[in-house]
Amino acid sequence: MPTAPYLDGHLSVWRGNDVLSFIDGLSTNHVLDLKEGQFRLTTFTTAQAKVIDRVGLFHMGAFVAVFSHGPYWKSLFAHISPRILGQDVTISNATENNNFFIQFGVESDDVGTFSSSEGTTVAHCMPHINYIVASKNSEVQVDSSISDFHEWRVDHVIPWQGFEISEKHHAFACGLADDVHPAKGCYIGQELLTRMRTRGKMGRELICVDTNQASQKDITTRGLSKSLAIVRL
Amino acid sequence: MDCGTCETAGPVQVMQPEVVNVALTISDKAQTMLADAFGDDRSMALLVGVLSGGCSGYMYDLQIVEETDQSCQEITINGFKVLVPNASSHLLDGIEIDYVDRLMGGGFKIINPNADSSCGCGESFA
């Protein structure tokens, strides 16, 4: 299984009795029922439904580890910090203690779970992608580059932070429909996303295009022959 | 994450808003409804708090409580004890608690001069 280093990974540790309700109240996916040993992706959005970041939640029992995109952490933290108020939520930064990797092209029947062994935690986060969080003194065999991963995900139309997943686009436009729960209650951006889904009007859509024939301004990840683009429907 | 690194990571400093002395009012209609809810027992208190969430990012949280473990300001208005958590005092200074009497969407309402916007149901604000 190809494994590439993910230098932009960020890991924070969220503790307290209100952590799941706090995340649930501010992000697109339903996470209140997340149990120990489970993993789930959810997306924080603005009032305009633009993406702040997509995060992966590891329920570790005593705490929830939140895997996010380092360059977006400042924006995400600025979004959540003033909303903690008196709730039982404390956040620690564990990024410096770990290395991060992406395993791609994997076949996994247990998406939404993770396993830990000898300092390495592997989350089956999407049907063909694993996140790996490894402590600094753990060894992970790397046999691919992040460029290989981006080339691979173009073929599989998988969005990524810094490319499709950005503050410029709403969750549907950048291909995060699976993160948007169809029936959960209110959260920031929910009214717009629900209206778009109900009316079937998403505005823009993430697709794979021929690099040389597509409108260059729409391309979000440029591949050799194919690219990903967010185009108006 | 089974290696102890998460357990040893120190907490990051989250935003600690300034605690302000809250002034609030309760409309006559809301006081009538509170009197019905409290009965003769004025040892109970109306907790007026704010939680994260809702369409606009903050949601009002009204509860009738005997006590709370939150650090609160206690305000007495016409015999009603009102508790306002210090953590959300900056969002609640100057509010009016009203009661809207209608079949759909009725109930206690908060009129909040600090809110830039609020959602249609009136339960959340930004």
Side-chain angles (χ1 to χ4, degrees):
Chain A
M1 288 180 284
T3 304
Y6 181 38
L7 300 179
D8 284 333
H10 185 280
L11 188 75
S12 50
V13 175
W14 300 32
R15 299 173 192 279
N17 293 323
D18 298 328
V19 165
L20 288 180
S21 61
F22 178 69
I23 297 172
D24 195 84
L26 291 173
S27 67
T28 59
N29 211 348
H30 182 66
V31 303
L32 278 176
D33 60 343
L34 194 68
K35 300 283 192 300
E36 183 174 354
Q38 293 182 336
F39 175 91
R40 196 162 299 164
L41 292 165
T42 189
T43 298
F44 288 86
T45 50
T46 66
Q48 291 75 40
K50 300 290 172 65
V51 173
I52 298 168
D53 198 6
R54 173 197 231 186
V55 303
L57 311 177
F58 299 78
H59 196 314
M60 305 297 292
F63 59 86
V64 175
V66 178
F67 186 69
S68 60
H69 186 61
Y72 292 178
W73 173 249
K74 195 173 173 186
S75 299
L76 178 59
F77 189 70
H79 179 71
I80 58 174
S81 180
R83 294 183 166 87
I84 292 176
L85 300 171
Q87 294 168 100
D88 183 13
V89 177
T90 58
I91 299 174
S92 309
N93 189 345
T95 307
E96 295 300 318
N97 304 329
N98 294 283
N99 292 317
F100 309 100
F101 304 87
I102 301 162
Q103 218 163 36
F104 54 99
V106 297
E107 292 299 328
S108 177
D109 293 330
D110 44 6
V111 171
T113 64
F114 65 87
S115 56
S116 297
S117 173
E118 297 176 356
T120 300
T121 299
V122 180
H124 310 294
C125 56
M126 289 174 247
H128 303 292
I129 295 181
N130 291 342
Y131 289 158
I132 301 177
V133 178
S135 62
K136 291 281 187 187
N137 54 5
S138 301
E139 283 201 17
V140 173
Q141 198 71 36
V142 171
D143 55 10
S144 291
S145 69
I146 197 71
S147 301
D148 296 334
F149 169 65
H150 290 312
E151 193 72 38
W152 174 85
R153 68 178 183 79
V154 166
D155 287 336
H156 294 78
V157 196
I158 292 172
W160 207 254
Q161 285 101 329
F163 296 87
E164 294 74 33
I165 302 174
S166 81
E167 62 184 8
K168 294 179 189 165
H169 301 291
H170 61 72
F172 290 132
C174 59
L176 299 180
D178 288 347
D179 288 8
V180 182
H181 195 275
K184 71 173 281 189
C186 299
Y187 55 87
I188 301 175
Q190 181 255 349
E191 284 176 303
L192 281 175
L193 291 172
T194 299
R195 198 176 304 142
M196 281 189 264
R197 178 174 263 162
T198 305
R199 294 179 179 176
K201 293 181 178 176
M202 309 301 192
R204 288 177 173 269
E205 182 185 32
L206 175 64
I207 59 170
C208 185
V209 297
D210 186 310
T211 301
N212 295 320
Q213 292 182 1
S215 168
Q216 299 303 297
K217 68 176 173 53
D218 290 336
I219 290 179
T220 50
T221 304
R222 186 177 300 278
L224 291 175
S225 58
K226 293 182 203 168
S227 294
L228 290 181
I230 296 178
V231 298
R232 189 165 289 285
L233 291 167
Chain B
M1 285 180 283
D2 64 339
C3 54
T5 59
C6 292
E7 284 73 5
T8 57
V12 293
Q13 186 63 48
V14 299
M15 183 182 166
Q16 298 284 359
E18 186 183 354
V19 176
V20 300
N21 290 321
V22 172
L24 61 81
T25 55
I26 306 176
S27 71
D28 292 344
K29 183 70 178 171
Q31 288 191 39
T32 303
M33 299 311 294
L34 281 176
D36 284 348
F38 279 81
D40 294 331
D41 184 3
R42 296 300 164 93
S43 65
M44 307 288 272
L46 176 68
L47 177 68
V48 185
V50 176
L51 301 172
S52 61
C55 306
S56 302
Y58 295 109
M59 288 188 304
Y60 298 113
D61 180 35
L62 288 184
Q63 297 178 51
I64 293 175
V65 298
E66 283 185 51
E67 57 184 351
T68 176
D69 54 6
Q70 299 182 67
S71 169
C72 286
Q73 298 174 32
E74 184 175 321
I75 303 160
T76 302
I77 298 175
N78 289 347
F80 295 108
K81 191 161 72 175
V82 180
L83 298 175
V84 178
N86 284 322
S88 44
S89 61
H90 63 296
L91 299 169
L92 295 172
D93 185 31
I95 63 168
E96 179 187 5
I97 301 171
D98 193 13
Y99 188 89
V100 177
D101 197 1
R102 60 177 180 233
L103 287 177
M104 289 188 70
F108 287 99
K109 297 286 176 189
I110 308 279
I111 300 162
N112 191 342
N114 307 297
D116 293 329
S117 62
S118 60
C119 101
C121 64
E123 290 183 13
S124 78
F125 67 101

